[in-house]
């Protein structure tokens, strides 16, 4: 099974725009031959961002998470820094890469340029468009 780490921005777009390309990509990641994975850091970031930026949509987030967590594996974000993290410009993104590495993710799907423009090869960092073409 191919393990796909899902970044925060993918969840946000899929929840806010359930008929969009990002939602379609997330749906694809939820089906075999893929195993969708995320981390507790992303879940906490989702809750914080929805509370700050989309307070009227917090119920949508809660409903989504309730349904999604029966399919998506949520892994712990390790505290110990991995040397590969230094390839990511934004310090706030580094725990997500750390969790992806620890979880054995094959891919990390994101819309974040700090990930997409990095030199990280493991896991392979891909955009929604690239994932949909796979």
């Amino acid at each position: 099974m191919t393990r796909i780490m899902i970044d925060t921005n993918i969840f946000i777009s899929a929840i806010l725009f359930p008929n969009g390309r990002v939602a379609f990509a997330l749906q694809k990641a939820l089906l075999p031959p893929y195993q969708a994975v995320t981390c507790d850091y992303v879940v906490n970031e989702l809750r914080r961002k929805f509370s700050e930026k989309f307070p009227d949509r917090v119920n949508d987030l809660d409903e989504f998470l309730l349904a999604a967590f029966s399919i998506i594996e949520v892994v712990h974000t390790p505290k110990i820094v991995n040397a590969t993290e230094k390839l990511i410009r934004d310090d706030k993104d580094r725990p997500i890469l750390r969790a992806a590495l620890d979880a054995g993710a094959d891919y990390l799907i994101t819309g974040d340029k700090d990930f997409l423009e990095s030199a990280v090869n493991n896991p392979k960092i891909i955009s929604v468009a690239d994932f949909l073409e796979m």
Side-chain angles (χ1 to χ4, degrees):
M1 187 93 38
T2 302
R3 295 172 65 77
I4 309 273
M5 176 65 76
I6 311 294
D7 192 14
T8 310
N9 58 67
I10 300 299
F11 286 119
I12 291 172
S13 293
I15 294 165
L16 296 178
F17 307 102
N19 297 316
R21 273 177 72 86
V22 175
F24 184 67
L26 180 58
Q27 290 170 6
K28 179 180 177 178
L30 298 177
L31 300 172
Y34 305 110
Q35 170 61 56
V37 181
T38 197
C39 60
D40 52 3
Y41 180 89
V42 166
V43 174
N44 292 336
E45 192 173 44
L46 277 170
R47 292 189 189 286
R48 183 179 50 76
K49 286 193 177 202
F50 266 77
S51 293
E52 291 172 4
K53 296 182 179 186
F54 315 106
D56 57 325
R57 302 291 299 269
V58 170
N59 286 341
D60 294 337
L61 173 65
D62 290 338
E63 288 176 18
F64 174 85
L65 293 177
L66 185 63
F69 288 161
S70 64
I71 301 168
I72 298 171
E73 180 183 345
V74 180
V75 298
H76 173 72
T77 305
K79 300 266 187 247
I80 298 173
V81 173
N82 184 302
T84 306
E85 291 177 46
K86 294 181 174 128
L87 296 172
I88 303 294
R89 287 185 299 241
D90 188 348
D91 290 348
K92 293 177 187 170
D93 291 332
R94 292 177 178 181
I96 299 167
L97 178 61
R98 188 180 319 143
L101 289 164
D102 193 63
D106 299 292
Y107 294 92
L108 190 156
I109 185 172
T110 185
D112 187 327
K113 288 186 182 200
D114 288 321
F115 275 123
L116 293 169
E117 295 173 355
S118 74
V120 174
N121 294 317
N122 179 30
K124 183 166 175 48
I125 298 175
I126 59 174
S127 67
V128 167
D130 289 342
F131 180 63
L132 288 173
E133 288 180 17
M134 286 176 49

